[in-house]
Structures are given as C-alpha cells and as structure tokens.
Amino acid sequence: MISPSSPVPPAPLRPRTAARSRAVVSALAASALVALLATTGASNAQDGESDGEQPTARQVVSLTTPDGSRFVLVPDIAEDPVPVLHWMVLTPTGPSFDPPGLEGLARAVTRASLAGTRTRGTHDWTSELRALQERGRLDREIQALLIGAARDEDETAELLAGQRMARLDAIEVARDLSDPLAWQRRLANAPAVRIELRETSHAAVLGLTTRPDALPTVASLLVDRRENATLRTVYDEYPAVHAELRAAERERTALLRRDAVGLAYLGSAEARVPTEQPGAFDYSTAWSTWQRIAHPSNSLHVLAGGFDPDEVVPLLQAAFARTELPAALSRPREGSAQGMSRNSRIPTDGPEALAIALHPDLALNPGAVVEPFEIRLVARWLADGSDSLLARELRRRGFNEPETSFLYPFPPDVPDGLLLLEVLSTSPTDPSGALFGSIREILAEAVKDGPDDRDLQRAFAAETAARSRRLADDRELAFDMALAVGLLGENPLNLIDPRTMPDPQRITALAQALWRDAARTTVQIQR
C-alpha cells in the first residue's frame, strides 16, 4: 500500500501502442488515488447506456486561446456530474514532420518530451544542454567515420575509440545533471492518474485523468512541457522508434500502403523508406522538430468529463496565453492526387495481397457535400471484415478466408485523402494471380445495384456502435475526438450526434462515383 507520508516515485513513462501500454504509477497518497479512481469509474458508468437506452447528445465547446492553442471541451451535462476530467493532448508525429533521413524522429522527440523540462528535472540546464549538444555532435562524427571514405583501419579504429569514449563522458555528464522523472512526479501530485502516451501511426496522445480543481496545476505543467521540454532521452528513444519502423516495413500492409500513397501523391513523405540504420542528428534538429509538432497551431487539446465550461474556459485562456515557440510552418500536406490510374506490382513467393486506392476528392463533383460518415459506410459495406461484400464474394470464388479492411482517409492526417480498400490472401493455395481480377469484377458489379438492406444495416450499425462506445466512456471519447479533430479536421459534433440511416440511393450513387473515377491507384503483391 502506498503510504501518504512516503509517496513512491513513478516508473518511467513509456508509450502505449497497439502492442503495449505502460502507465505511470502515480505518486499520489493512497487515499487520493483510490478516491480519484473510484469517481472515474462512477463517471464512466454514469455516461454509459442503461436499460438499452441510447446515450444522450453532449454539449461541445470549441475555443482558441490567446497563444493559438486549440481546445475542444465536452462537459458532462448531467444534473450532478461527477467531478472527474479527462485531458488529451494530441501531437502530430506523421512522416511529413520527420526530417528526410530521420524517419521516426517526430515520434522519438514526443516520447522524450516526457523526461522533464528546463524548470523541472535538471540540476544545471546550461551544463546539461552542453552535454546533450556534445553527444549529438559526437554521434554525427562517429557515423561519418563509419560510412566515410576508406582509410587506414588502425587509424579509423583509434579515432572511433576516442570519439566513443568522449560520447560516454557526455552521456555520464548529462545523466548526473538530470532527473527524468521529476516532471512526471509533479503531474502525478497535481493530482493526475492514468497518465499514458498512446501512439498511432501519425500521432501521439498524452492522456491523463484529474479533477477540475487541479486544472491550474495541470495546465501549467502542460505548458511547461510544450515550452521547455529538454528532450534529454531523445538519443535513446530514436533507435527504438527506428527499429519499430523497420520491423513494420516487413508487413504486407506496409508495402501496399507505401506504394499506394507514393503513386497517388508523387513525392509524398509517406512513401519514404526508413534508412537501414538510424541516422545521427544534433540536438538542434531534435529541438526544432519538437517546436514544430508541439506548436499550438499543430497540437490539439480535448477535455471531457464533469466540469463547468463557464469556469474552465477563463482558466484555459489565462494558462495558455502566450508561447515562445517560433511560428510553426503550416501543417505539411500531401500534393494533389494524380489525375490518372497508376498501378504497381510487387512480386512474392507467399500469399498475395491487393490495395485499391480511391480518390474521393477527384471522384466527387466540385461543391458536392459528402460527409466522411457516408464514405465510411461505403467502405464498411465493401471491405470491413469477414462479413463484408468482398470477403463473402472472394470466399465464393475459392479464396480461403481472405482478410478485408479499409482505411479512410489515408494518410490519416490528410482530411481529403484516399479511401484504401485492402485484401490479404491468407493461404498459399488461393488461386494464383486471380486476386486483382476477381476484386475488380466484384466491385464493378456491386456498385451497379448498391448495398442491399442487410449490408447497409450492418455498415450503419458498425458506425453507430462506435458513437455509443465513445459516449459510454469520457476518456475514450476524448481520445477519439483528439484524433478525429486533430488529425482529420472533422467537426467534433459528428462524433457524438445521433445518426439516421442515409438514403440507400445516395450511398449507391456515392459508391458509383468513387469506383468510376479514372484515377484509381492499385498495388498488387502477386506471385
């Protein structure tokens, strides 16, 4: 049991990905921790559905503070809301934010931003900064020696030994001057619990749960992180991120997506392949990357739970009043989609796969009003899992349990991006070379008549179920909204407002427009 008189320091905060999640062990006294977690559970239960009733609509408040920070507030409108608040801070980390040759650096600096600030966690920032800068310089010199022009082996070995010893000295100096857990401990004492970093392919979301009366402290700490992050662990984080990216590159879906976006958007950062070895960089490169992604114009805050917006808005306006970060470049965007069909074939000895990228921005008439919700309905009908039209028809044609899925928009940080339909063959006995032709025939036939009632009901149920899940858990609502608003630019009301079944003829017409667009991009992994 945690003693109130001797709080336990938190374990180092690590990111949560699809494969793992590690949360901070709060330094709260036991009574405060139990009380806050208990009220969190009560809040979630209160917000959820009961007796089969649909969750009610929620109020949404959007605002921009004086420093340019964007906020979305989703207060609990219950008569007696539980005073627990969930705060999510989204930082974009997609490939377009990475310097060329340093793929993954945006993600690495976001992880490193949790290891303390210039005001919390350093004994002498000036000296520590010199040590960090020295380490970056030595990393670059060591890399240059390893890949440089041939020279005498004994001379190279001697130079490398000296540089590596100097780097170890710089690491030791920086370590002696720092306390990487100080900022996390202060946040836990605010109090805040369930502090975790959740990562997607294009963003990192720092989440925490706290009380309304702790907001001034939490806000101050988040501003401190944005303005003063030391990034002291970035040289350790980057090799780990790079290894994750290299491992992901071996997946069939990664090959499909990289080629699809590379063909659809020429010169896209999404198509860059991570270097074989992690690149070396100086500290200023890491800091400028953090300044860009953390700038108020690129990040987003979402608050959901039991609070009064009339009280919270003035507090946020005061706390987020100014920034010293230089004006950020506008968020990178992919170029215009190429107005022609493009195809790619990747040879394989194993199971085949296919991705078809459709271009909503080219397929739809200028001025047409089509909600992302409607495009997702088309995608769910065609390629959402084992009960989708593509999966059923491929099984009927002799394919053994093909995996079907979709991404929209893709890349995730391009609001008018591609609709990507993916099909993975799972058996080497599937018909060789027949996947593309079969899918093309199935889709061309399907869009003529559109979805039947069963398929449209299934797609609609899947979309509306996501809304119900969000409204049943304020923390997940805040996380989903951070991604949808911060990355995709969606209207936050679209995530929580009740939906009605669309006109089937409208969905059919939309599917026909998407399919007949001449700018389809196709990527095949084929034997």
Side-chain angles (χ1 to χ4, degrees), residues 108-182:
V109 297
T110 304
R111 295 182 185 181
S113 71
L114 302 169
T117 69
R118 301 173 192 178
T119 61
R120 291 177 176 86
T122 185
H123 303 297
D124 180 350
W125 171 240
T126 301
S127 298
E128 185 183 355
L129 176 60
R130 281 199 299 267
L132 291 171
Q133 292 170 332
E134 179 70 359
R135 179 175 178 180
R137 182 186 69 80
L138 291 167
D139 279 350
R140 290 171 62 85
E141 291 186 2
I142 290 170
Q143 185 175 76
L145 285 172
L146 291 172
I147 65 176
R151 65 172 74 216
D152 181 83
E153 290 186 4
D154 291 339
E155 180 186 359
T156 300
E158 183 177 351
L159 288 171
L160 283 172
Q163 298 290 58
R164 285 168 172 162
M165 185 62 67
R167 181 175 62 177
L168 287 174
D169 290 342
I171 293 172
E172 190 66 26
V173 169
R175 182 181 296 122
D176 289 344
L177 291 171
S178 66
D179 178 2
L181 300 181

Side-chain angles (χ1 to χ4, degrees), residues 9 23 35 49 82 96 99 141 146 152 196 224 235 246 277 300 304 309 353 355 358 360 376 380 389 404 461 511 522:
E49 301 178 59
V82 178
S96 55
E141 291 186 2
L146 291 172
D152 181 83
E196 61 181 358
D224 185 30
Y235 292 112
R246 290 286 297 177
Q277 297 295 327
L300 177 78
L358 308 178
R376 286 196 296 268
R380 288 190 183 277
L389 180 134
T404 63
T522 304

Side-chain angles (χ1 to χ4, degrees), residues 18 99 102 133 180 183 202 279 407 442-443 449 468 487 490 505 507:
L102 293 173
Q133 292 170 332
W183 185 85
H202 288 68
L407 292 172
I442 292 169
L443 292 177
D449 300 323
S468 296
L487 279 185
E490 287 201 34
Q505 293 183 352
I507 298 302

Side-chain angles (χ1 to χ4, degrees), residues 180-217:
L181 300 181
W183 185 85
Q184 295 178 33
R185 285 196 301 269
R186 183 67 187 91
L187 185 60
N189 284 324
V193 296
R194 298 176 66 188
I195 307 167
E196 61 181 358
L197 188 68
R198 298 171 64 174
E199 293 180 340
T200 70
S201 60
H202 288 68
V205 181
L206 174 62
L208 59 92
T209 297
T210 187
R211 303 188 308 247
D213 64 323
L215 283 185
T217 301

